[in-house]
Amino acid sequence: MTDEKLVCSNITKTYGKKEVLKNINLELEKGKIYGLIGRNGAGKTTLLSILSAQNPASSGTVMLGTEPVWENRKALDHICFSREISALGANGQGNGYKVKDYLRAAAWYLPNWDKEMADRLIKEFDLDVKKRVIKLSKGMLSMLTIVIALASKADYTFLDEPVAGLDVVMREYFYRTLVEEFTESGRTFIVSTHIIEEASDVLEEVIMLDKGQIILKEDTQALLDRAVHVSGKEDVVAAATKGLHCLHEEKIGRSKGVTVLLHEGEHIQGNAELSVQPVNLQQVFVALCKE
Amino acid sequence: MDGIKRNLLYWGYTIGLMLSMILAMVLGICIVTGLDESGNILLAFCATMDEFGGMYMPFFMGMLGMVTINNYLPFTLTMGSTRRDSFIGMEIMLHLEGMLLIGIIIAAGIFSGRTANGMFFFGRVLLLVASAALCNLSGWAYLQFGKVVSLILFLVLTITGALGVSVFAAMHEAGKWSLPQWGRLVLVAAAVAADGIMIYLYAGKVKNLEVRV
């Protein structure tokens, strides 16, 4: 197990003329669950694929401690990016594979593969290992992605939309298992998801990505502690939020609501004319993206 | 286990699975078409492999070139392999399993009563090396020009190659044409060189291969 940080410096990625990632600098510490949040096309999967050397960056470097990750087995042995699998058997997904072929390949390639854990998860998810991947439902594909990610026992494990297609019971089971595994092993997980509220309880730190740039990286609780929604009469709200970092405003008649991100030392006191309410992670994200 | 060993296991299994599917298909054809007159499956299988092996081999290897680069090589990257290790593992197993297939074709030829002379072995060795080169060319063309162009290129090369070989083989059998010893060596050397060049070009393309997002 490595205690090294995974650091990416000045990463850019362009496809033709389109710049998908713009000068990304990111430092991931050992033993944390990160949430990677962003809108469709924000560059989440691209970033994860570059961090795991599945795709080359157009410029910049990714290092695990002193080792470059690109084409370096020594570093890659500590990283697992379990990609979202498509039933259409797209590029990189072993057309015609059965579930057991996937698991067999994972056991060959992933040096810390935990077969016992994989078997237990397969049983819990009730996955048929003899079934062809192209015949799996969206939820089952997600289950397979989760099995590979968790049983990989990789120090840095990335999950791309792991709960897509899972029912609420299985989503809860996944988050519970993730936290258990995290507590036992101290591995680092990066979970990219659109179902933000459900995941927010398990995410220690959030990384928000918008239009190829990191717009925020912060401890989840610290972020929620300083994000508030202020509402009341327009002039009262305007006066209370003057000089503060307002993320998003909405007006209803003569009333106004503002999502504010407070900085150190800043404070808004609610009163009869001014309502100050906490906001959840999803609201912060929406407000930031609309900023 | 080091990176190349992992890839040898993976590629050995994956290509072996495809090879066994081809052989099972030939066996299936033999069974469905009613075996041969003797009703012996092994004889029918050998006769089919001997007669059509020259077609199966480049077809198998060429298709393999396209399938591996579209699906299996990117898959190994998603499992954490480096491009280098995966490519080396793939090339070794492609050639080894190609040798296995040509071994089966040679055995089938001998079992079917062909005379195992120099020309017999020359033809089959050339078939192996040319098919390996075709496999690498298909993979390279897939990355360079895309699916459609590589498929057309593969079909054109396979068909013209098969036609050319058939014409020369017929002329040779009729005694109208004979290939001298040095000519055979030149042809095999040219095929080996073509395979080497294709591996080099293909490796250059794989070096920065993207797993499509």
Side-chain angles (χ1 to χ4, degrees), chain A residues 13 55 71 97 104 109, chain B residues 7 10 13 83 210-211:
Chain A
K13 180 69 181 173
N55 282 347
E71 284 296 89
Y97 271 169
R104 186 185 287 116
Y109 279 106
Chain B
N7 277 291
Y10 172 78
Y13 173 78
R83 286 151 184 79
E210 299 250 356
V211 179

Side-chain angles (χ1 to χ4, degrees), chain A:
Chain A
M1 186 163 273
T2 180
D3 289 323
E4 306 280 10
K5 286 179 181 176
L6 188 64
V7 180
C8 75
S9 315
N10 307 315
I11 293 289
T12 58
K13 180 69 181 173
T14 49
Y15 288 108
K17 285 180 182 172
K18 195 180 176 196
E19 202 172 17
V20 181
L21 292 177
K22 297 166 189 167
N23 199 35
I24 299 278
N25 288 291
L26 184 64
E27 196 174 288
L28 301 171
E29 288 169 37
K30 189 75 209 310
K32 274 193 175 178
I33 303 182
Y34 292 92
L36 183 61
I37 301 170
R39 299 177 66 186
N40 291 330
K44 301 185 295 293
T45 308
T46 307
L47 177 61
L48 294 179
S49 68
I50 289 172
L51 287 175
S52 56
Q54 289 184 16
N55 282 347
S58 301
S59 66
T61 55
V62 182
M63 305 283 286
L64 180 65
T66 53
E67 296 278 346
V69 167
W70 178 252
E71 284 296 89
N72 182 355
R73 186 178 54 80
K74 213 170 140 192
L76 287 172
D77 276 354
H78 296 283
I79 300 169
C80 171
F81 173 26
S82 194
R83 297 173 75 98
E84 195 179 5
I85 303 166
S86 148
L88 297 172
N91 169 284
Q93 296 178 356
N95 243 345
Y97 271 169
K98 289 179 179 170
V99 172
K100 63 179 179 182
D101 294 323
Y102 249 84
L103 298 172
R104 186 185 287 116
W108 282 334
Y109 279 106
L110 302 165
N112 301 312
W113 180 251
D114 186 340
K115 189 180 179 307
E116 212 173 280
M117 186 184 208
D119 291 342
R120 181 167 55 83
L121 290 170
I122 293 274
K123 206 174 161 192
E124 287 287 342
F125 284 135
D126 199 19
L127 263 180
D128 181 359
V129 292
K130 289 178 186 161
K131 217 168 182 177
R132 289 200 182 275
V133 171
I134 49 168
K135 296 209 170 150
L136 295 181
S137 67
K138 175 96 176 141
M140 286 172 174
L141 291 169
S142 292
M143 290 171 192
L144 182 55
T145 313
I146 291 169
V147 173
I148 288 171
L150 293 181
S152 75
K153 294 279 179 180
D155 294 331
Y156 286 89
T157 305
F158 311 150
L159 291 118
D160 191 15
E161 294 293 340
V163 295
L166 287 188
D167 63 47
V168 67
V169 177
M170 279 303 158
R171 290 208 297 269
E172 206 183 294
Y173 174 74
F174 162 68
Y175 286 120
R176 204 174 55 238
T177 313
L178 178 72
V179 171
E180 277 170 15
E181 175 58 19
F182 168 71
T183 313
E184 267 176 38
S185 65
R187 295 160 64 185
T188 303
F189 291 96
I190 301 188
V191 183
S192 100
T193 184
H194 287 296
I195 310 176
I196 300 168
E197 253 329 277
E198 230 176 62
S200 65
D201 285 346
V202 300
L203 306 177
E204 279 190 272
E205 206 167 301
V206 282
I207 302 160
M208 289 188 190
L209 204 59
D210 192 36
K211 294 171 189 147
Q213 286 177 309
I214 292 179
I215 53 171
L216 186 135
K217 180 178 180 279
E218 194 170 338
D219 180 275
T220 311
Q221 199 49 55
L223 175 67
L224 293 178
D225 285 346
R226 69 189 188 96
V228 289
H229 186 261
V230 183
S231 59
K233 282 187 181 165
E234 198 174 347
D235 52 339
V236 178
V237 171
T241 58
K242 194 177 175 190
L244 300 177
H245 183 184
C246 300
L247 299 180
H248 175 61
E249 290 184 10
E250 73 269 345
K251 280 183 189 173
I252 307 164
R254 276 185 288 173
S255 294
K256 186 178 178 182
V258 181
T259 307
V260 179
L261 208 52
L262 297 168
H263 294 287
E264 211 176 324
E266 291 175 344
H267 181 72
I268 303 177
Q269 184 66 51
N271 55 43
E273 290 191 319
L274 190 73
S275 161
V276 181
Q277 298 291 328
V279 292
N280 62 31
L281 193 58
Q282 182 164 309
Q283 288 167 319
V284 176
F285 171 68
V286 171
L288 269 167
C289 285
K290 281 182 178 171
E291 195 184 13

Side-chain angles (χ1 to χ4, degrees), chain B:
Chain B
M1 193 164 33
D2 78 21
I4 292 177
K5 274 189 200 158
R6 294 175 198 173
N7 277 291
L8 288 176
L9 273 175
Y10 172 78
W11 286 108
Y13 173 78
T14 303
I15 298 171
L17 204 65
M18 286 188 264
L19 180 60
S20 60
M21 279 161 68
I22 286 277
L23 295 175
M25 189 188 77
V26 176
L27 201 60
I29 292 169
C30 293
I31 293 168
V32 170
T33 54
L35 314 170
D36 70 339
E37 287 167 4
S38 66
N40 185 324
I41 295 179
L42 186 63
L43 268 181
F45 177 76
C46 288
T48 311
M49 284 305 284
D50 179 49
E51 199 165 339
F52 298 107
M55 209 169 71
Y56 293 146
M57 181 85 190
F59 191 78
F60 169 65
M61 296 290 272
M63 289 308 285
L64 203 59
M66 282 183 274
V67 172
T68 50
I69 198 58
N70 184 40
N71 289 296
Y72 299 110
L73 207 148
F75 175 76
T76 64
L77 305 184
T78 69
M79 285 289 165
S81 173
T82 62
R83 286 151 184 79
R84 177 187 164 276
D85 291 346
S86 185
F87 188 75
I88 292 172
M90 179 187 80
E91 284 297 334
I92 291 173
M93 292 320 294
L94 276 175
H95 285 81
L96 282 180
E97 300 212 19
M99 281 181 206
L100 180 65
L101 181 56
I102 210 71
I104 293 169
I105 292 171
I106 288 173
I110 294 170
F111 204 71
S112 301
R114 279 200 193 262
T115 313
N117 56 18
M119 195 64 184
F120 172 82
F121 286 110
F122 154 73
R124 276 132 193 97
V125 169
L126 185 64
L127 179 65
L128 167 68
V129 186
S131 299
L134 179 68
C135 175
N136 286 313
L137 185 138
S138 299
W140 169 79
Y142 195 98
L143 292 178
Q144 181 72 29
F145 306 113
K147 195 193 285 184
V148 177
V149 174
S150 62
L151 191 63
I152 292 169
L153 195 64
F154 157 69
L155 287 172
V156 168
L157 284 172
T158 309
I159 292 166
T160 47
L163 281 175
V165 168
S166 305
V167 168
F168 283 118
M171 283 167 68
H172 180 78
E173 274 179 28
K176 290 179 184 169
W177 177 78
S178 156
L179 189 63
Q181 194 77 22
W182 64 265
R184 295 175 198 177
L185 281 173
V186 167
L187 275 178
V188 172
V192 170
D195 190 27
I197 291 166
M198 286 326 303
I199 290 174
Y200 176 75
L201 291 174
Y202 195 10
K205 280 278 167 198
V206 168
K207 208 160 72 178
N208 285 310
L209 181 70
E210 299 250 356
V211 179
R212 259 176 265 147
V213 177

